[in-house]
Amino acid sequence: MTAGRTGLREQKKQATRQALREAALRLALERGPDNVRVDDIADAAGVSPRTYNNYFSSREQAIVAAVTAERESRVAAAIAARPDGVRLADAVVDAIVEQYTDPDAQDGDALLLITTRPALREAFVDAAAAIEHPLTDAIAGRLGDAGRDTARVLAASVAAAVRVALDRWVGGTAAAPPVAGGLVVPSGSLPDLLRAALAALAPALDAAERRAASARHDPGRI
């Protein structure tokens, strides 16, 4: 298969995924998530239910994807864009906080829907796992090829920390009513929760960065 044909196929997949997640969120907002079936989402997106199942495993996953779409690639790009002199731990934390709390990327109605439905809250938290693979690439880019395994471990740890912070954040909305213009989150602000959860990983990120620097200066050193 030629590169051009592969590129067109990937574009079509991305367009289908986008159509499905947008249809899922629109129908959920109009009808309530409990009144939306997978068949309804597929029909609204112009595809078959079988095609839907190739992209999402549940309606909740599709609804949440409308809010979290492309976040993992934006996190990785933000880390890669940081200057070399910026500490790896700072680059990771800043990228995570920036992309998870950017007001331009948040839809108030969608977040209110997600945080007030247990199944959607769970899917929203679970979506944090998607950052692991692109984050591995971003961290490996800072550590070099020799640090690939370390990058995988660190990325998995970051994803777990983000999941803990999100779980606390959305869990705090369950018992509190929404207020005009936003959400009630009695357990704390999302940026603070993310920074607190990621703080435990700073020593490991620093150590990995030091080892990578030593390896670059002394290639024979393990």
Side-chain angles (χ1 to χ4, degrees):
M1 183 176 291
T2 65
R5 189 173 299 175
T6 300
L8 289 174
R9 184 178 180 184
E10 186 59 31
Q11 288 176 19
K12 184 177 180 180
K13 286 183 177 180
Q14 291 299 326
T16 299
R17 184 181 297 276
Q18 180 176 351
L20 286 168
R21 68 189 183 223
E22 289 178 352
L25 178 59
R26 175 171 54 78
L27 292 174
L29 289 171
E30 291 174 357
R31 307 177 184 178
D34 293 339
N35 298 315
V36 177
R37 302 175 305 160
V38 166
D39 287 4
D40 298 328
I41 300 171
D43 183 62
V47 301
S48 69
R50 181 176 180 179
T51 296
Y52 175 96
N53 291 328
N54 290 333
Y55 291 86
F56 299 107
S57 62
S58 67
R59 68 183 175 189
E60 288 80 14
Q61 191 182 71
I63 293 167
V64 165
V67 174
T68 62
E70 316 304 331
R71 179 180 286 163
E72 60 269 18
S73 60
R74 294 198 306 268
V75 167
I79 293 172
R82 295 297 194 274
D84 290 341
V86 174
R87 177 177 168 232
L88 177 59
D90 291 336
V92 170
V93 172
D94 290 347
I96 292 289
V97 172
E98 175 185 289
Q99 296 305 321
Y100 273 84
T101 62
D102 179 4
D104 293 335
Q106 306 288 4
D107 183 298
D109 290 338
L111 277 177
L112 182 57
L113 178 75
I114 288 169
T115 56
T116 53
R117 300 297 199 286
L120 289 175
R121 288 200 301 268
E122 183 177 350
F124 181 73
V125 172
D126 288 345
I131 69 172
E132 182 177 335
H133 294 301
L135 191 56
T136 295
D137 292 337
I139 294 175
R142 293 285 300 260
L143 300 181
D145 292 339
R148 183 74 188 182
D149 288 344
T150 297
R152 289 182 63 187
V153 172
L154 291 172
S157 300
V158 170
V162 171
R163 193 182 189 285
V164 168
L166 292 177
D167 188 52
R168 286 196 58 193
W169 186 64
V170 299
T173 67
V179 297
L183 301 172
V184 174
V185 188
S187 57
S189 73
L190 181 54
D192 289 346
L193 289 169
L194 286 167
R195 291 187 182 280
L198 292 166
L201 302 179
L205 289 162
D206 287 342
E209 191 169 34
R210 287 194 299 269
R211 286 196 300 271
S214 296
R216 282 192 290 270
H217 286 98
D218 184 4
R221 183 175 179 179
I222 297 177

